[in-house]
């Protein structure tokens, strides 16, 4: 790819992933740079979640290489894998909180799994994460059923930040939120990126997110990256799906402030 930089935090090369007789990712190449928010788009069912899960090691690949933090994910020992897993946080598409646990207890799940902390420190760290995502302190002892959709997303984000990750994977984090809630969530992600120096890989259908929160965008089509670059690059791209996505009726309806790119 044209924008390759010396030290991408994630580097995917010639990635092939399939299920039975279907090939979903067909030799995909993608670099994610340290400190950027990369938005990942593409038609539904094309493999955006599959790519995310494959990078995370949850789906086996048929071939290709995935390097994270400069390390090849193949041939890592279990200990090395666990250390890498501590350096990323994940918010899945349907990533629900554990309904039987309070917000605080949800946030503490990864901490209990990976860190050996006293109860006092666990509470203190959970309190910090809750503050970080803009929830009120009282939210700590609430159960998911007592929260609004936006608050649940924030709580889930707090849980994904539990181990102070360097990379955040967000799979359609604003789906199900109204536009204002979605916008606020994007602002929060952008703020966290700035203040914590996070790298964010965000699958999204939300055009507003792509305009306001993402530094670069990559588009998936037919198992490969059709294009990757800043929004202007994507807006100028000739690919039919990109044209209809960014310039079609839906785009015109969604893009705010009369700033219509046609
Ligand atoms: N574990 C699985 N087993 C079989 N097929 C799967 C599995 N996970 C995803 N798929 C298929 O892979 C394709 C891509 O799915 P997905 O990555 O979820 O799409 P999206 O781009 O909407 O996130 C879909 O056709 C889906 O049905
Ligand atoms: Mg998906």
């Amino acid at each position: 790819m044209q924008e390759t930089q010396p030290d991408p935090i994630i580097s995917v090369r010639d990635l092939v992933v399939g299920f039975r007789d279907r090939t979903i990712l067909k030799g995909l190449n993608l670099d994610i740079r340290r400190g950027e928010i990369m938005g990942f788009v593409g038609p539904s069912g094309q493999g955006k979640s599959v790519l995310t899960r494959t990078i995370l090691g949850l789906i086996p690949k048929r071939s290709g290489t995935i390097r994270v933090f400069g390390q090849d994910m193949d041939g890592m020992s279990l200990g090395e894998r666990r250390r890498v897993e501590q350096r990323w946080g994940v918010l899945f598409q349907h990533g629900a909180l554990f309904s039987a646990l309070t917000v605080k207890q949800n946030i503490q799940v990864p901490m209990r799994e990976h860190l050996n902390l006293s109860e006092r420190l666990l509470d203190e760290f959970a309190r910090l994460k809750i503050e970080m995502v803009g929830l009120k302190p009282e939210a700590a002892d609430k159960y998911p059923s007592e929260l609004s959709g936006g608050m649940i997303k924030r709580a889930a984000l707090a849980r994904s930040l539990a181990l102070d990750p360097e990379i955040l994977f967000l799979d359609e984090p604003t789906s199900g939120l109204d536009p204002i809630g979605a916008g606020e969530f994007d602002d929060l992600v952008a703020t966290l990126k700035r203040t914590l120096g996070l790298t964010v890989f965000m699958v999204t259908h939300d055009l507003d997110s792509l305009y306001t929160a993402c530094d670069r965008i990559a588009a998936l089509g037919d198992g490969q990256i059709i294009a990757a670059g800043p929004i202007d690059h994507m807006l100028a791209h000739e690919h039919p799906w990109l044209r209809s996505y960014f310039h079609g009726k839906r785009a015109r309806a969604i893009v705010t402030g009369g700033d219509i790119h046609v």
Side-chain angles (χ1 to χ4, degrees):
M1 254 176 300
Q2 161 194 355
E3 309 96 354
T4 309
Q5 281 200 335
D7 180 28
I9 197 164
I10 297 175
S11 174
V12 176
R13 288 290 172 276
D14 306 318
L15 181 66
V16 179
V17 179
F19 302 102
R20 292 173 296 276
D21 55 349
R22 277 186 67 203
T23 312
I24 308 288
L25 305 179
K26 305 170 182 171
L28 182 141
N29 294 294
L30 183 65
D31 279 345
I32 301 166
R33 300 172 186 164
R34 194 175 280 276
E36 74 176 349
I37 300 184
M38 169 166 272
F40 192 46
V41 300
S44 191
Q46 281 284 309
K48 299 182 297 297
S49 297
V50 165
L51 174 63
T52 311
R53 288 173 167 273
T54 308
I55 295 172
L56 295 170
L58 302 172
I59 294 176
K61 58 190 168 61
R62 291 202 173 137
S63 59
T65 346
I66 298 169
R67 298 176 69 84
V68 183
F69 306 118
Q71 281 175 281
D72 193 330
M73 294 297 286
D74 288 340
M76 265 186 205
S77 69
L78 266 175
E80 285 170 329
R81 254 212 92 79
R82 248 181 104 75
R83 278 194 290 280
V84 168
E85 283 167 9
Q86 287 190 36
R87 296 171 68 185
W88 64 42
V90 186
L91 180 52
F92 284 119
Q93 191 166 2
H94 304 294
L97 296 168
F98 298 111
S99 58
L101 302 182
T102 64
V103 168
K104 179 177 88 177
Q105 290 165 339
N106 265 283
I107 296 169
Q108 291 172 341
V109 168
M111 297 180 183
R112 288 182 196 279
E113 198 186 326
H114 288 276
L115 310 173
N116 190 13
L117 298 174
S118 67
E119 289 300 315
R120 200 184 61 77
L121 269 182
L122 283 169
D123 283 355
E124 178 59 16
F125 286 171
R127 194 187 62 75
L128 282 171
K129 304 300 170 193
I130 286 168
E131 191 184 326
M132 210 179 256
V133 299
L135 287 174
K136 295 213 173 78
E138 304 87 85
D141 297 315
K142 294 226 158 77
Y143 288 90
S145 60
E146 303 175 273
L147 304 177
S148 71
M151 287 164 84
I152 287 176
K153 300 276 182 183
R154 282 172 193 263
L157 185 64
R159 186 175 61 186
S160 70
L161 294 170
L163 301 175
D164 297 325
E166 291 162 61
I167 309 178
L168 205 51
F169 292 90
L170 306 174
D171 194 346
E172 306 207 22
T174 57
S175 69
L177 295 184
D178 59 72
I180 291 171
E184 286 173 354
F185 189 93
D186 288 340
D187 291 345
L188 173 62
V189 171
T191 303
L192 291 172
K193 176 209 117 160
R194 274 197 311 278
T195 53
L196 305 175
L198 287 171
T199 304
V200 182
F201 181 72
M202 177 159 77
V203 179
T204 184
H205 278 296
D206 193 317
L207 278 166
D208 281 337
S209 313
L210 298 173
Y211 279 93
T212 60
C214 297
D215 299 298
R216 288 198 308 147
I217 299 158
L220 178 68
D222 198 24
Q224 297 193 330
I225 300 298
I226 304 168
I231 184 81
D232 292 347
H233 175 76
M234 306 306 275
L235 290 170
H237 208 281
E238 293 292 305
H239 190 283
W241 186 81
L242 288 175
R243 289 205 65 77
S244 72
Y245 187 71
F246 286 109
H247 306 282
K249 272 200 193 97
R250 190 172 154 263
R252 282 199 290 276
I254 290 170
V255 173
T256 50
D259 183 16
I260 294 166
H261 303 257
V262 271

